[in-house]
Amino acid sequence: MSSSIPHPDSGSFSVNCAVLTVSDTRTESTDKSGDLIKQMLRDNGHHLGNYVIIKDEPDLITQALNQCCGDAKIQAVIVNGGTGIAPRDTTYDAIEGLLEKTLPGFGELFRFLSYDDIGSRAIASRATAGVYRETLLFSVPGSQGAVKLAMEKLILPELVHLVKQLQKGS
């Protein structure tokens, strides 16, 4: 299986992103996964337009997404945390009703790739992606391993292409 990009994007293009960490326990000093996302974005020439840590509460998640996706300068939002099935994992539930278009392949591929790392426990992930208010939105588990996998294998290789697709006709 080839991992090359079928239609490489030409020229340099920087995406302005927001990072949203959903956690009941993390702070700026302990948010290793949020730090990893921010660093990987910067290392790949993208900009950080916003960074927020919020509690795993559906109303707070929706409020933060409305703020990020309502900002015309933000082109993509990467959410980490709260994607499992524990009672406090409500990220997917909050995002599911907001998405205007879904990218089902993102969650499918993420779980497929995760299977190699964590085996059958990958079925518990509710990683998802789509479009909300003309903004690209990714939601991944909060572990550093999951963040690294999603960023390296899925998000960074397609970020520019997907944002450019959203900009067509606008």
Side-chain angles (χ1 to χ4, degrees), residues 13-34:
F13 185 90
S14 181
V15 177
N16 199 29
C17 300
V19 175
L20 174 60
T21 295
V22 178
S23 173
D24 290 334
T25 58
R26 291 190 186 156
T27 65
E28 282 194 44
S29 63
T30 63
D31 184 18
K32 304 287 188 220
S33 293

Side-chain angles (χ1 to χ4, degrees), residues 81-129:
T83 62
I85 62 167
R88 291 291 301 156
D89 290 332
T90 63
T91 302
Y92 176 84
D93 307 296
I95 290 174
E96 177 187 35
L98 297 178
L99 293 178
E100 296 150 358
K101 291 185 180 184
T102 60
L103 296 171
F106 176 81
E108 294 163 359
L109 281 171
F110 178 81
R111 284 179 285 280
F112 172 78
L113 294 168
S114 294
Y115 182 80
D116 286 340
D117 289 339
I118 63 171
S120 59
R121 289 196 177 173
I123 66 170
S125 169
R126 297 189 295 162
T128 191

Side-chain angles (χ1 to χ4, degrees), residues 17-23 26-28 31 34-35 37-38 48-55 60-61 63-65 67-68 74 77-80:
C17 300
V19 175
L20 174 60
T21 295
V22 178
S23 173
R26 291 190 186 156
T27 65
E28 282 194 44
D31 184 18
D35 289 343
I37 294 169
K38 293 185 293 186
L48 181 66
N50 197 357
Y51 167 64
V52 181
I53 299 174
I54 58 165
K55 298 284 185 208
L60 295 176
I61 296 166
Q63 189 176 45
L65 289 172
Q67 182 179 9
C68 289
I74 300 292
V77 178
I78 302 169
V79 180
N80 76 95

